[in-house]
Amino acid sequence: MHTDTERCVRAVQSKDARFDGWFFTAVLTTRIYCRPSCPVVPPKPGNMVFYPSAAACQQAGYRACKRCRPDTSPGSPEWNARADAVARAMRLIRDGVVDREGVPGLAARLGYSTRQIERQLLAELGAGPLALARAQRAQTARVLIETTGLPMADVAFAAGFSSVRTFNDTVREVFALAPSELRTRVTTSRTDSTRATSARAAGTRAANTPAARAVAGTPRTPGVITLRLPYRAPLNPDNLFGHLAATAVPGVEEWRDGAYRRTLALPHGHGIVALAPHPDHIACRLSLTDLRDLTLAISRCRWMLDLDADPVAVDDQLRTDPLLAPLVDKAPGRRVPRTVDAAEFAVRAVLGQQVSTAAARTHAARLVAAHGTPVDDPEGGLTHLFPAPEALAALDPEALALPGSRRTTLTTLVGALADGSLRLGPDSDWDEARVHLARLPGFGPWTVEVIAMRALGDPDAFLPTDLGVRRAAAGLGLPSTPAALTARAAAWRPWRAYAVQYLWATDSHPINHLPA
């Protein structure tokens, strides 16, 4: 989009927040780059230059605006709607692969040479993988500086920098402030805000839930980080959080004090996250055993909640169907509830074949209790990490309270995941993954498509054989047979996964409602 100068200028002049993350505006006179919705007076069109990424702006010598903080924009929805090499590379960079494995590791995962990946990213994003990873490290550093009391040396290494000097130089270059100045600035701002809030709220009692504390800014706790996750409006939290809460596996997930909480298995340790919906952001409270996992933890939470989606584009497309339009108009902004771990969801999808939601939770809870890694949760009732495929590969099939065919399906799946013959993750090619899954015994179209939708994030995954989808289609006057419904749904592409959410929402099932 950044090449369409006229459209970009209109977006900047109208301060349209829908375009935040799609492109960035660099100002030639001030050498500052902003998000399209920056509240300052827009510069003259002749002084605007547009870039596809924050990394490209930084490489060109621009620093981040202190007013609109473009580094905190929602991610580009383009990377969630595509499965080509560039989109898969961006998802891997967002997951911190460059920091952990370097550019050669990124290229190897995608099946390309280092030179090919660098050339493709440079052509489309104006920056190579190292620059893109550097921009992400700078944002992680800012989060740690502003939300924790860690010494700056610890912040530097937790954010992924190789040295304190590189950390200092990068922060100064990107934000035009030294790390200590960033912390002082936000501390002063928080103090002023707290005083103003206290004056306005005299005589009232504030909520004392973890979700409320995440926003209010309570005293810092070692290893605990509170932040706001931005998104593009509108966002309907009902089916998003309702689905996660209704299908929560006991010990791994729970709904508590108005927040969805779950454990996270991360490269350097584990974590616990609490996520609560608010009108203009998602409140996020992360408790990590190793702060080097912060970037990945944030990325997985954003992915699970589908926060980088473009709901206006999705809903506009679905409204073209006159039978679907009333559902969209009634509750716009539905997201696809995803997962923090694709392998975990694949296992849970098999456990949920042809059984109720409650039965699927029971089967998963037994696996977790027997094979999951125990964790401590002083603030709630979480007890385990979901077991990794390697742990499940060693289980005794006879110990599973499942039909024989289902046991075979599960053991074959975890075996393929454990030995690497089946790879599910941000680097997966959606069509190739479907082919591999369909070859496994017991994997029919429903299981393959629900994994493509919620684990791999394909926005066009579709479930024409799903009972809830067929029932909703019949009630709306849409074709209810799988073949006819698939033909009708061709007009909804490439957003059929979102159409499924609107169809599911016609039912009174708990997945469609926020818990009390």
Side-chain angles (χ1 to χ4, degrees), residues 155-212:
V155 170
F157 295 115
F161 289 95
S162 57
S163 70
V164 175
R165 181 176 179 178
T166 304
F167 159 72
N168 287 329
D169 291 344
T170 300
V171 171
R172 284 194 184 96
E173 182 180 337
V174 174
F175 305 116
L177 291 170
S180 58
E181 291 173 322
L182 270 179
R183 179 166 286 172
T184 301
R185 193 167 181 263
V186 75
T187 302
T188 302
S189 175
R190 185 182 292 120
T191 300
D192 293 342
S193 176
T194 301
R195 288 173 179 168
T197 302
S198 299
R200 289 194 301 268
T204 64
R205 185 176 61 186
N208 193 34
T209 66

Side-chain angles (χ1 to χ4, degrees), residues 117-461:
I117 289 298
E118 289 177 341
R119 184 172 63 248
Q120 291 184 52
L121 289 174
L122 191 61
E124 191 156 344
L125 286 143
L130 288 177
L132 292 163
R134 176 180 179 267
Q136 183 167 270
R137 283 196 296 272
Q139 168 57 12
T140 301
R142 183 169 194 162
V143 170
L144 289 170
I145 290 169
E146 295 181 346
T147 62
T148 74
L150 285 175
M152 292 302 175
D154 293 345
V155 170
F157 295 115
F161 289 95
S162 57
S163 70
V164 175
R165 181 176 179 178
T166 304
F167 159 72
N168 287 329
D169 291 344
T170 300
V171 171
R172 284 194 184 96
E173 182 180 337
V174 174
F175 305 116
L177 291 170
S180 58
E181 291 173 322
L182 270 179
R183 179 166 286 172
T184 301
R185 193 167 181 263
V186 75
T187 302
T188 302
S189 175
R190 185 182 292 120
T191 300
D192 293 342
S193 176
T194 301
R195 288 173 179 168
T197 302
S198 299
R200 289 194 301 268
T204 64
R205 185 176 61 186
N208 193 34
T209 66
R213 291 196 299 270
V215 180
T218 57
R220 294 166 177 156
T221 304
V224 175
I225 297 169
T226 60
L227 62 150
R228 298 182 175 199
L229 303 181
Y231 57 78
R232 292 177 185 84
L235 181 144
N236 188 319
D238 294 359
N239 74 300
L240 182 58
F241 285 89
H243 204 126
L244 295 172
T247 60
V249 177
V252 175
E253 304 165 286
E254 67 175 1
W255 180 267
R256 181 183 292 267
D257 293 330
Y260 166 76
R261 304 177 73 246
R262 72 153 293 149
T263 58
L264 303 170
L266 300 165
H268 300 102
H270 68 267
I272 293 175
V273 64
L275 299 160
H278 288 261
D280 61 349
H281 68 277
I282 301 296
C284 175
R285 178 179 171 87
L286 276 166
S287 176
L288 303 174
T289 56
D290 193 318
L291 289 176
R292 289 178 294 175
D293 291 321
L294 175 63
T295 299
L296 179 58
I298 294 174
S299 171
R300 289 187 176 177
C301 291
R302 293 191 63 82
W303 173 260
M304 177 174 62
L305 299 181
D306 196 15
L307 297 186
D308 291 329
D310 184 350
V312 174
V314 172
D315 290 350
D316 284 350
Q317 176 71 20
L318 299 183
R319 282 192 183 98
T320 60
D321 190 316
L323 297 181
L324 209 56
L327 299 182
V328 178
D329 293 335
K330 180 181 178 181
R334 293 194 183 275
R335 301 300 209 270
V336 177
R338 296 180 182 154
T339 180
V340 295
D341 188 299
E344 171 191 318
F345 184 83
V347 171
R348 292 171 61 172
V350 171
L351 294 176
Q353 288 176 333
Q354 299 177 354
V355 298
S356 67
T357 299
R361 295 176 69 217
T362 299
H363 290 316
R366 289 171 181 163
L367 277 187
V368 167
H371 302 280
T373 302
V375 298
D376 294 325
D377 177 22
E379 296 182 350
L382 303 180
T383 59
H384 290 81
L385 300 175
F386 197 90
E390 293 76 14
L392 293 178
L395 60 81
D396 179 8
E398 300 301 323
L400 299 173
L402 297 171
S405 60
R406 194 79 47 77
R407 289 201 299 265
T408 300
T409 300
L410 181 62
T411 54
T412 304
L413 170 66
V414 297
L417 291 169
D419 64 22
S421 58
L422 173 63
R423 293 181 60 180
L424 301 177
D427 56 333
S428 296
D429 180 283
W430 297 330
D431 292 334
E432 289 183 7
R434 282 181 169 92
V435 171
H436 288 302
L437 288 169
R439 290 173 181 164
L440 300 177
F443 271 72
W446 183 90
T447 308
V448 171
E449 286 300 306
V450 79
I451 291 173
M453 176 192 295
R454 297 195 55 202
L456 303 182
D458 183 353
D460 201 39

Side-chain angles (χ1 to χ4, degrees), residues 59-112:
Q59 270 202 324
Y62 296 91
R63 66 171 178 82
C65 174
K66 297 176 184 177
R67 287 287 301 277
C68 69
R69 297 183 58 171
D71 50 301
T72 62
S73 300
S76 172
E78 201 169 0
W79 315 130
N80 290 348
R82 292 165 43 181
D84 56 27
V86 172
R88 289 155 58 204
M90 287 302 296
R91 292 198 286 268
L92 286 171
I93 293 171
R94 185 174 56 195
D95 262 13
V97 168
V98 172
D99 290 334
R100 296 192 301 272
E101 303 175 20
V103 179
L106 172 68
R109 282 179 176 243
L110 297 171
Y112 288 87

